[in-house]
């Protein structure tokens, strides 16, 4: 996956919209179902951030040949290292249970760590753009 | 650049499930993708490179009854799954592959496993 150069996006808005739709359709989630306005706005903000990432080639959401969703983040630092987040499962959510209810960020990172197979520490070490993208993904994964 | 820190393995993650390694766990990392030998001739030596699996051995993790069941199920799978471990320096190594669940010793709930990569390990080095 190439990254955008010279500030120009690699992919169109339509492609980004389609890929986000793959995610929302697969998990049957609709941000409009969120009753709390602040939270709904935060989710929509995350979605917009992810659309930008898709257009820049930093994120890709597709359906695998086996019919299972594939979410792949390409790290900005070397543009070759990829993190693949597998389908959300109960086991991944159990990892969140190892954190207290007040530790929202810890719970998000536990979920991301489990879905990526990297563990919470590696995910929490992501910086800058990579951290931003992973947290936006985490916000959506938490809706599942 | 990685830090000059050695010591305990901090975390082992198998298919997204975290396990606690014992503090004295000493993982043996196969050095490289090839085993190198010398084949002498009457003149120069030939370098003989034999491909080998970059397994991780000596992985000892705490496993209660439930975790033992999980480990058995993971070991019995026919499909690969993601694995990773974190060193004391904060370096994380990840791959996709399978495990060999050697045994569990009930006196201290010590479960010994080996981690076998399908291809190779990828480092996420601390900085």
């Amino acid at each position: 996956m190439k990254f955008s150069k010279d500030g120009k996006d690699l992919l169109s808005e339509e492609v980004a919209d389609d890929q986000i739709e793959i995610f929302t359709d697969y998990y049957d989630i609709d941000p409009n179902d969120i009753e709390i306005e602040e939270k709904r706005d935060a989710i929509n903000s995350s979605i917009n951030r992810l659309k930008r990432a898709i257009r820049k080639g930093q994120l890709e959401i597709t359906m695998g040949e086996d019919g299972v969703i594939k979410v792949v983040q390409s790290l900005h630092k070397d543009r070759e290292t990829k993190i693949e987040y597998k389908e959300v499962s109960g086991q991944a959510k159990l990892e969140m249970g190892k954190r207290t209810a007040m530790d929202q960020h810890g719970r998000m990172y536990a979920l991301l760590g489990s879905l990526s197979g990297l563990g919470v520490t590696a995910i929490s070490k992501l910086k800058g753009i990579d951290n931003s993208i992973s947290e936006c993904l985490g916000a959506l994964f938490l809706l599942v | 650049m990685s830090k000059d820190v050695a010591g305990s393995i901090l975390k082992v993650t198998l298919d997204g499930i975290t396990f606690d390694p014992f503090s004295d766990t000493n993982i043996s990392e196969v050095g490289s993708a090839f085993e190198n030998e010398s084949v002498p001739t009457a003149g120069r030596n030939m370098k003989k490179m034999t491909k080998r699996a970059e397994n991780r051995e000596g992985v000892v993790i705490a496993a209660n009854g439930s975790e033992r069941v999980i480990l058995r199920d993971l070991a019995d799978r026919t499909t690969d799954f993601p694995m990773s471990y974190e060193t004391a320096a904060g370096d994380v190594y990840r791959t996709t592959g399978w495990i060999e669940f050697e045994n569990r010793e009930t006196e201290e709930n010590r479960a010994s496993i080996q981690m076998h990569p399908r291809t190779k390990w990828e480092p996420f080095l601390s900085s």
Side-chain angles (χ1 to χ4, degrees):
Chain A
M1 180 187 296
K2 294 182 180 178
F3 277 59
S4 62
K5 296 182 179 179
D6 304 324
K8 295 180 182 177
D9 293 336
L10 291 174
L11 301 173
S12 67
E13 280 188 34
E14 289 74 25
V15 171
D17 289 343
D18 288 345
Q19 291 195 16
I20 291 295
E21 193 172 337
I22 289 174
F23 188 99
T24 54
D25 284 351
Y26 188 83
Y27 288 116
D28 193 23
I29 57 178
D30 184 352
N32 294 323
D33 291 342
I34 302 172
E35 295 180 354
I36 301 173
E37 185 179 351
E38 282 180 359
K39 190 173 181 183
R40 187 171 61 243
D41 290 345
I43 292 296
N44 284 323
S45 177
S46 291
I47 289 176
N48 290 334
R49 178 68 185 86
L50 294 177
K51 286 181 181 178
R52 269 206 316 281
I54 292 170
R55 295 187 64 184
K56 292 181 186 299
Q58 297 159 335
L59 179 69
E60 185 177 33
I61 303 174
T62 57
M63 289 299 292
E65 291 180 357
D66 54 0
V68 178
I69 192 170
K70 283 182 62 175
V71 179
V72 180
Q73 178 183 356
S74 298
L75 297 191
H76 186 73
K77 59 172 186 176
D78 58 10
R79 306 191 171 186
E80 288 185 0
T81 304
K82 298 185 189 305
I83 299 176
E84 181 171 341
Y85 301 91
K86 61 180 184 178
E87 185 179 19
V88 175
S89 66
Q91 189 62 58
K93 291 191 173 182
L94 280 175
E95 291 296 309
M96 289 198 296
K98 298 177 181 177
R99 305 278 171 160
T100 64
M102 297 299 293
D103 185 8
Q104 288 299 309
H105 264 85
R107 289 166 62 85
M108 177 192 290
Y109 283 114
L111 179 61
L112 289 169
S114 178
L115 293 176
S116 65
L118 286 172
V120 62
T121 304
I123 286 293
S124 64
K125 287 184 176 179
L126 294 178
K127 299 176 182 176
I129 294 172
D130 299 323
N131 172 257
S132 171
I133 295 172
S134 70
E135 284 208 352
C136 290
L137 277 173
L140 259 62
F141 283 132
L142 286 173
L143 291 179
V144 178
Chain B
M1 185 176 173
S2 205
K3 299 172 186 166
D4 289 332
V5 174
S8 300
I9 300 297
L10 301 180
K11 196 66 72 175
V12 171
T13 304
L14 305 173
D15 197 27
I17 306 166
T18 55
F19 293 86
D20 293 322
F22 281 85
S23 58
D24 58 353
T25 291
N26 182 21
I27 293 180
S28 176
E29 303 172 335
V30 171
S32 61
F34 290 87
E35 178 184 354
N36 297 322
E37 298 175 82
S38 297
V39 181
T41 72
R44 65 207 186 280
N45 295 332
M46 290 292 174
K47 182 180 182 183
K48 178 180 175 183
M49 299 177 69
T50 306
K51 191 75 166 63
R52 61 184 174 184
E54 295 180 70
N55 300 332
R56 298 299 189 251
E57 300 178 359
V59 184
V60 184
I61 52 181
N64 58 26
S66 301
E67 290 164 322
R68 188 202 185 289
V69 172
I70 292 172
L71 287 173
R72 184 181 67 179
D73 290 344
L74 287 172
D76 289 346
R77 280 195 195 174
T78 57
T79 55
D80 297 351
F81 51 85
M83 305 183 288
S84 68
Y85 64 96
E86 180 188 357
T87 69
D91 299 333
V92 175
Y93 296 87
R94 67 162 180 178
T95 191
T96 302
W98 62 94
I99 63 167
E100 155 62 8
F101 182 14
E102 296 174 342
N103 60 45
R104 184 181 75 145
E105 295 176 359
T106 57
E107 183 178 13
E108 294 181 347
N109 278 349
R110 284 178 175 260
S112 295
I113 67 170
Q114 298 175 6
M115 296 194 282
H116 295 246
R118 176 64 70 179
T119 53
K120 62 178 182 178
W121 290 87
E122 184 176 2
F124 270 79
L125 300 181
S126 64
S127 58

